[in-house]
Amino acid sequence: MRIGKDLVAASATPLVLGILADGESYGYAILQRIGELSGGQLDFSDGMLYPLLHRLERLGQIEASWSQSPTGRPRKVYRLTADGESAMAEQRRQWSVVSDALRTVWHSGPSLAVGTA
């Protein structure tokens, strides 16, 4: 099963902020972590990740710097800022509401639509 594009897009920001809350990381490692967290079911590409990272950087939620990789190549490393921590907390609250609502509607059984008998 693959997760639909709309749900992948909606979950992108909270996932990236959550991953960076665990510590600084770079693009490829973030993609790998998303794959691990989703059991490979979130189809998250670098074409989706890097524009998101740039947007979060512009918003001041993450910051980036260049560092040397173990292979000697420079790579851009991203870390969460205080604004990013606040944004992540807000995302967590919002997703909790959505998750609770879905859990309730899916576990409540069939219901009658308004106006039907």
Side-chain angles (χ1 to χ4, degrees):
M1 170 182 72
R2 288 283 185 187
I3 308 300
K5 289 181 181 184
D6 290 343
L7 196 50
V8 171
S11 65
T13 296
L15 274 171
V16 169
L17 292 176
I19 289 167
L20 293 176
D22 287 338
E24 68 180 20
S25 193
Y26 57 98
Y28 180 76
I30 293 170
L31 288 172
Q32 293 299 306
R33 185 69 180 132
I34 291 169
E36 291 169 9
L37 291 168
S38 70
Q41 294 190 51
L42 282 175
D43 191 16
F44 213 96
S45 69
D46 53 344
M48 182 178 194
L49 176 64
Y50 290 102
L52 173 60
L53 290 170
H54 296 148
R55 183 175 65 80
L56 294 174
E57 193 174 5
R58 278 192 313 274
L59 293 170
Q61 296 176 2
I62 65 173
E63 57 187 17
S65 61
W66 288 96
S67 69
Q68 290 296 115
S69 71
T71 62
R73 291 183 55 202
R75 65 180 167 206
K76 204 171 193 179
V77 177
Y78 300 91
R79 71 189 61 66
L80 202 59
T81 64
D83 284 349
E85 289 177 16
S86 296
M88 186 183 66
E90 179 58 26
Q91 288 279 330
R92 183 177 290 144
R93 284 188 291 274
Q94 291 178 23
W95 276 92
S96 179
V97 170
V98 171
S99 177
D100 290 347
L102 288 171
R103 190 175 302 107
T104 299
V105 75
W106 288 336
H107 289 2
S108 66
S111 63
L112 295 175
V114 174
T116 63

